[in-house]
Amino acid sequence: MAKAAVRAGLVAVGLAWVLIAQVVLAADAKTYVLEGSKAAALESCVEPTDVMRRKHMELIKHQRDETVHGGIRSSKHSLAGCVECHIRSDAEDVPQPIHHKEEFCGACHAFTAVNLNCFDCHASVPRGPGAERAAHAAFQAVGVDRSVQARPDGEDH
Amino acid sequence: MGKTTEMKDHHEPTDRSADPGPSDSAPSDSGRRAFMGVAAGVTAAVVAPGVVLHSVTAAPRSEAVTSDVRWGLLIDTAKCVDGCSACVDACDRENGLNLQSKPASAPQEHWDDQKAVWIRKVKLQDNQTGRVTNLPLMCQHCEHPPCVDVCPTGASFKRADGIVMVDRHTCIGCRYCMMACPYKARSFIHEVMEDQLTRVPRGKGCVESCNLCVHRRDFGEESTACVDACREAGHEAIVFGDLKDPESNIRRHLAEMASRQIREDLSLNTGVRYSGI
Ligand code: SF4
Ligand code: SF4
């Protein structure tokens, strides 16, 4: 009897330990999606998270050819869409360039030591009239309600 | 014409036979125009054969551009005013060219030569008669573009709808195309850029030129920044439109007034035409 009770107790402790370990691990698993960006309010990106983590560069590279040569702008894989959704503004409402070290693209690229060239040419914050059009198209393509979205910088409207 | 709507090969920049240009006067049929309404990403409804209603809000393009259209400009030099720079200024704002800044070390006259411009105002004077002509000069969107012929990487290319542009992702900045262009239409970006517009990427080491406001084309807008600005300034010297559509505004103007290509001796079949020169 006593033996069985001890065994049950040990199993319970073991189970609890596994559970706690999982919770701690989950809290530890770093997410680069930033508080205050539109992306933070959404369940997942335009593709499931694991696909985005592994393949975002391929998706963007494929899309760039379709857009430059074919003029296709309705895609959910546009770089302008990434920027629009993942951009974060500071306390003064100034959008922070997305390739900077503390921001969405920059933080992960710094951690993985992968050079990031996109923003040598592309705007690193949504800038200019119509900047949000690509993101609108992406939201439409994945069927997310645009009403929860707002311009981060309040400009251009 | 023997061309059908499934011709969508947009990686075929110098297909000489496929692009008859403005001289092509084959009658369009209602099916083709209905297709174009859809292809332009514009919400459209066909109410009767040949009649297409366009709604005001345009959707972004979702089908690749085809050679069913060829975009072009007609410039009436008689209406172009000396000293007016409305089109140039509008182009600068539309395409973020006004965001370039002179490096501190560069002398002003070097910078004036080197900064990127997509439109230049040119003044011609006939020395015998003294007659002065003003005109805006931009990329002429040649049907047979020398800039595309010489590019070693394929970065300089002609889109299926006739727009000649640079794919910055493959441009190596050799500037061969700048030497090849007879119109001095291209610019090189010499300095690191920081404040690009979302709609016009731009970076050090690439060549660029007028792309007929390609973002406006792809979002289904009607005209170009220079055309709008010229009209707002009260001159209406520039007409934009589809050179392949006999019903288009630009084709009607071309049918009425005498027009020429600049350096027509080069047989480039330019998409930008001038009257009064
Ligand atoms: S005008 Fe110059 S840049 Fe434009 S298509 Fe012709 S050669 Fe190329
Ligand atoms: S500068 Fe760029 S676009 Fe021009 S010829 Fe060289 S690679 Fe081609």
Side-chain angles (χ1 to χ4, degrees):
Chain A
M1 273 304 263
K3 230 184 190 178
V6 168
R7 190 179 293 159
L10 278 177
V11 168
V13 168
L15 271 177
W17 177 247
V18 168
L19 266 176
I20 289 167
Q22 266 177 358
V23 170
V24 169
L25 267 182
D28 229 29
K30 187 151 165 90
T31 167
Y32 286 89
V33 174
L34 292 169
E35 206 57 41
S37 66
K38 291 174 190 173
L42 297 170
E43 207 141 280
S44 81
C45 197
V46 292
E47 304 291 346
T49 306
D50 54 335
V51 175
M52 291 312 294
R53 284 197 178 144
R54 278 167 194 275
K55 296 220 156 150
H56 62 279
M57 64 301 270
E58 285 167 39
L59 300 174
I60 297 168
K61 192 173 177 190
H62 179 70
Q63 187 55 47
R64 81 175 198 200
D65 295 338
E66 305 262 292
T67 301
V68 175
H69 291 261
I72 293 172
R73 309 262 184 171
S74 60
S75 163
K76 57 180 177 175
H77 297 149
S78 75
L79 185 68
C82 306
V83 173
E84 170 82 14
C85 198
H86 282 282
I87 199 82
R88 177 186 64 158
S89 298
D90 67 5
E92 276 89 53
D93 260 2
V94 180
Q96 299 300 301
I98 199 152
H99 60 309
H100 282 187
K101 257 201 170 121
E102 305 77 38
E103 305 305 317
F104 179 68
C105 300
C108 199
H109 274 262
F111 179 73
T112 52
V114 176
N115 204 2
L116 180 58
N117 288 132
C118 305
F119 303 101
D120 291 359
C121 291
H122 287 277
S124 56
V125 298
R127 196 181 283 113
E132 73 294 345
R133 286 192 292 196
H136 280 221
F139 284 123
Q140 254 165 15
V142 289
V144 177
D145 184 9
R146 270 290 299 172
S147 62
V148 298
Q149 315 300 333
R151 295 272 304 152
D153 55 1
E155 275 175 13
D156 311 323
H157 274 277
Chain B
M1 303 212 282
K3 266 187 319 94
T4 55
T5 50
E6 67 261 18
M7 267 193 72
K8 279 180 191 162
D9 186 0
H10 48 264
H11 293 292
E12 206 172 34
T14 47
D15 183 355
R16 289 186 177 235
S17 61
D19 216 353
S23 56
D24 162 41
S25 58
S28 83
D29 57 85
S30 60
R32 197 197 77 174
R33 266 188 285 151
F35 169 81
M36 276 159 45
V38 177
V42 176
T43 321
V46 182
V47 290
V51 180
V52 180
L53 292 182
H54 295 271
S55 75
V56 188
T57 48
R61 164 177 284 285
S62 56
E63 296 264 325
V65 288
T66 71
S67 53
D68 289 332
V69 298
R70 183 184 177 200
W71 300 118
L73 295 169
L74 172 62
I75 292 153
D76 186 348
T77 57
K79 293 182 179 168
C80 182
V81 177
D82 192 9
C84 172
S85 62
C87 58
V88 179
D89 300 339
C91 177
D92 284 358
R93 284 192 304 272
E94 180 79 13
N95 296 296
L97 293 160
N98 57 341
L99 302 173
Q100 303 174 89
S101 49
K102 185 177 90 67
S105 59
Q108 186 63 42
E109 72 265 30
H110 281 193
W111 176 241
D112 291 341
D113 281 346
Q114 291 208 321
K115 72 173 181 225
V117 289
W118 289 9
I119 308 182
R120 288 178 297 135
K121 279 292 295 281
V122 173
K123 188 189 276 194
L124 307 171
Q125 181 168 352
D126 184 327
N127 284 339
Q128 286 186 330
T129 63
R131 179 173 179 256
V132 173
T133 312
N134 286 282
L135 55 87
L137 191 71
M138 64 287 282
C139 169
Q140 305 287 294
H141 298 278
C142 312
E143 188 195 356
H144 310 303
C147 60
V148 174
D149 289 344
V150 301
C151 179
T153 68
S156 181
F157 74 104
K158 190 177 73 174
R159 236 169 64 143
D161 58 0
I163 300 177
V164 178
M165 46 195 264
V166 176
D167 182 349
R168 290 170 203 274
H169 304 107
T170 32
C171 174
I172 54 170
C174 67
R175 288 167 267 181
Y176 201 166
C177 56
M178 291 177 71
M179 305 302 290
C181 174
Y183 307 97
K184 206 179 163 188
R186 291 205 156 171
S187 298
F188 182 73
I189 303 298
H190 291 262
E191 297 296 329
V192 171
M193 289 285 305
E194 243 140 46
D195 296 322
Q196 298 93 334
L197 298 177
T198 294
R199 63 178 174 230
V200 189
R202 166 173 296 121
K204 180 178 175 178
C206 288
V207 162
E208 57 181 47
S209 52
C210 159
N211 55 25
L212 291 176
C213 292
V214 73
H215 51 279
R216 291 193 179 211
R217 305 286 71 72
D218 296 344
F219 284 100
E221 290 177 48
E222 292 286 318
S223 71
T224 64
C226 55
V227 168
D228 287 351
C230 188
R231 191 192 328 103
E232 277 156 28
H235 306 312
E236 296 199 37
I238 318 176
V239 180
F240 170 80
D242 177 9
L243 297 169
K244 284 189 178 175
D245 177 3
E247 313 283 313
S248 69
N249 200 15
I250 191 168
R251 278 289 294 274
R252 278 204 296 273
H253 279 81
L254 280 165
E256 276 165 20
M257 62 201 330
S259 65
R260 292 177 67 187
Q261 308 172 48
I262 296 180
R263 290 298 309 268
E264 53 203 2
D265 56 312
L266 297 171
S267 305
L268 301 175
N269 188 9
T270 57
V272 180
R273 302 295 173 107
Y274 293 83
S275 75
I277 56 168

